[in-house]
Amino acid sequence: MAMLDPRTLTLVVTGATSGIGAATVRRFASAGSKVVAVGRRADRLDGLKAEFGDLILPLELDVRDEKATFDAFSSLPAPFADYNIVFANAGLALGLEPAQKADLDEWKTMVETNITGMLTTVRASLPAMVERKEGHVVFTGSVAGDYPYFGGNVYGATKAFVKQFSLNLWADVAGTGVRVTNIEPGLVETEFSVVRFAGDKGKADQVYAGYTPMTGEDIAEQVYFACTMPRHVNINRIQCMAGQQTFNGLTVRRDPA
């Protein structure tokens, strides 16, 4: 079974400035792939460009901006215009309050980024891949899309949406030459928790205290595996957890005596 030559792959990676996105850019570029690195922090994009030179096209973009996202995909320069992988990775979690105390604006931001921004990315990029009869859409989902936890309310719901959308998208594009994969990690130590707790690194570090969490590089390796499988193979889902993580217990609320 011959794996795909990474030097034939051209990726667009959203959320490329940190965590899983940045690790994925580095994993593919180090193997010779061309990568459009998409994110909102120009200095970090420039850093990726400095590491890998002409293999990287930095693209400062907020995928919540529909017009800018469509314009960006329609105006990519050669040789990046013939992308054959789109990794819709941009996303975030905000807050860990129970629903009755949650900040509605944080809910809206998660929906706008994790769902609307993801949908915009797919809709802007998919027709060209279908027309070329070659492509792969990859998502960053989460175990939170399957298993609820306290305070995960809207974040988990957005990842459940990503999971089901990825399956429905595969039903739509099967046979077109475009593949679809949802990567669904559990505990990964990136800037994820720092963002969730509004920059409070001490609080974020407590999430991982006593654990050996997965890293962005661990997840990037799974993306690389799925995308370099022979084209007749589609990896629908990869769900993974850190070795010390398992499923939440069911919550039982007892009445006071």
Side-chain angles (χ1 to χ4, degrees), residues 92 106-117 154 158:
L92 78 169
E106 291 184 342
W107 279 7
K108 290 178 180 179
T109 298
M110 285 187 280
V111 170
E112 289 166 1
T113 306
N114 300 358
I115 296 179
T116 307
V154 167
T158 65

Side-chain angles (χ1 to χ4, degrees), residues 234-256:
N234 189 77
I235 305 296
N236 297 341
R237 302 170 67 185
I238 298 178
Q239 189 174 98
C240 53
M241 290 182 172
Q244 292 169 280
Q245 183 180 24
T246 185
F247 311 102
N248 287 326
L250 295 176
T251 299
V252 177
R253 304 289 187 189
R254 300 187 184 280
D255 293 332

Side-chain angles (χ1 to χ4, degrees), residues 5-236:
D5 184 345
R7 293 171 296 181
T8 68
L9 302 178
T10 301
L11 294 80
V12 179
V13 179
T14 69
T17 57
S18 66
I20 293 169
T24 300
V25 172
R26 291 188 172 98
R27 178 65 181 95
F28 279 86
S30 66
S33 304
K34 295 181 288 293
V35 186
V36 181
V38 179
R40 294 183 295 166
R41 289 175 282 190
D43 58 330
R44 295 196 180 189
L45 298 176
D46 291 342
L48 291 168
K49 173 74 172 175
E51 280 186 64
F52 297 102
D54 291 343
L55 289 174
I56 303 294
L57 175 67
L59 179 57
E60 188 177 355
L61 174 69
D62 186 339
V63 295
R64 294 175 298 180
D65 186 330
E66 180 179 321
K67 183 179 185 304
T69 301
F70 272 82
D71 288 347
F73 275 100
S74 65
S75 59
L76 289 173
F80 298 94
D82 290 333
Y83 54 86
N84 48 20
I85 299 171
V86 173
F87 183 22
N89 166 70
L92 78 169
L94 295 172
L96 204 58
E97 297 291 333
Q100 68 272 24
K101 296 180 179 179
D103 185 317
L104 183 59
D105 286 336
E106 291 184 342
W107 279 7
K108 290 178 180 179
T109 298
M110 285 187 280
V111 170
E112 289 166 1
T113 306
N114 300 358
I115 296 179
T116 307
M118 175 273 292
L119 292 176
T120 302
T121 299
V122 173
R123 188 61 184 83
S125 63
L126 184 61
M129 290 191 289
V130 171
E131 184 176 348
R132 291 193 293 268
K133 298 182 173 59
E134 180 184 278
H136 199 154
V137 181
V138 184
F139 299 99
T140 299
S142 171
V143 297
D146 272 346
Y147 311 112
Y149 62 88
F150 179 87
N153 36 69
V154 167
Y155 174 73
T158 65
K159 293 305 182 179
F161 183 99
V162 171
K163 175 189 68 177
Q164 194 60 38
F165 179 70
S166 74
L167 296 174
N168 285 340
L169 182 61
W170 176 232
D172 283 352
V173 302
T176 67
V178 176
R179 301 185 291 178
V180 182
T181 301
N182 192 31
I183 308 291
E184 305 171 16
L187 197 66
V188 182
E189 186 170 11
T190 61
E191 293 177 27
F192 176 86
S193 289
V194 176
V195 173
R196 166 166 257 169
F197 296 119
D200 187 336
K201 191 168 187 311
K203 195 171 183 180
D205 287 345
Q206 285 301 308
V207 174
Y208 310 107
Y211 291 96
T212 302
M214 295 182 291
T215 65
E217 289 73 21
D218 293 327
I219 309 309
E221 197 62 40
Q222 295 167 43
V223 178
Y224 186 84
F225 166 76
C227 291
T228 55
M229 288 294 287
R231 293 204 181 279
H232 68 280
V233 178
N234 189 77
I235 305 296
N236 297 341

